[in-house]
Amino acid sequence: MITVSRKAHFNSAHRLYREDWDDAQNLKVFGKCSYPNYHGHNYNLVVSVTGEINPETGFVINLKDLSDIIKQHVEEKLDHKNLNLDVPEFKGLIPTAENIAVVIWNILREKIDKKLLLKIVLYETERNFVEYSGA
Ligand code: NI
């Protein structure tokens, strides 16, 4: 088994809050990320695909194909969007890095050969990142 990875990037706005909490409670739990007028992050994404090398091509997955899948189904959907307002997956789901990672993973899982393992790492800042591989 061998792993290949592709990096991608998108900018999105979000706000972390619960409607059923008041502003003070939201501020206490979510800090600055709860400010009412939204704020942006420069998200970096690393998508890793693990499998056997196809003896015919020498590839685990064609990285051009993987790049196109990420561009079409993740970047187009999230880049320069307000995650709370513009992206249906976040209706009723707080757009934390954790939840964004799960949403991205679910989208990509549908598009990549089931024989291949899929893991993503999502950086919300240089120092804060989450990892998800479906379990
Ligand atoms: Ni934030």
Side-chain angles (χ1 to χ4, degrees):
M1 299 283 257
I2 192 161
T3 300
V4 298
S5 299
R6 170 79 190 179
K7 286 186 183 173
H9 181 78
F10 56 92
N11 303 308
S12 307
H14 76 170
R15 178 190 179 199
L16 305 184
Y17 74 111
R18 296 192 60 92
E19 276 179 14
D20 55 337
W21 290 354
D22 63 16
D23 287 353
Q25 177 74 359
N26 275 303
L27 188 63
K28 196 174 153 197
V29 173
F30 297 117
K32 291 179 181 177
C33 274
S34 77
Y35 287 175
N37 290 333
Y38 305 94
H39 61 277
H41 290 281
N42 300 313
Y43 290 96
N44 281 305
L45 174 68
V46 182
V47 177
S48 296
V49 174
T50 300
E52 286 174 7
I53 299 174
N54 177 332
E56 203 169 38
T57 61
F59 294 149
V60 172
I61 185 173
N62 185 320
L63 280 173
K64 174 68 170 77
D65 295 343
L66 181 60
S67 153
D68 288 346
I69 289 168
I70 296 167
K71 193 162 289 168
Q72 189 181 341
H73 299 283
V74 176
E75 292 175 34
E76 293 273 319
K77 190 178 187 70
L78 305 180
D79 189 39
H80 285 71
K81 299 286 181 66
N82 179 312
L83 299 178
N84 301 78
L85 302 180
D86 300 333
V87 181
E89 280 82 348
F90 297 105
K91 288 268 173 284
L93 183 68
I94 304 171
T96 57
E98 290 89 330
N99 282 331
I100 299 167
V102 172
V103 165
I104 292 171
W105 188 92
N106 286 333
I107 290 168
L108 293 175
R109 185 65 282 182
E110 287 296 305
K111 307 291 174 195
I112 291 167
D113 190 333
K114 294 289 178 285
K115 291 198 304 281
L116 303 169
L117 301 174
L118 172 66
K119 183 184 100 171
I120 70 164
V121 181
L122 179 69
Y123 288 81
E124 190 167 72
T125 69
E126 254 178 66
R127 296 178 187 183
N128 295 346
F129 57 97
V130 302
E131 195 176 299
Y132 187 59
S133 48

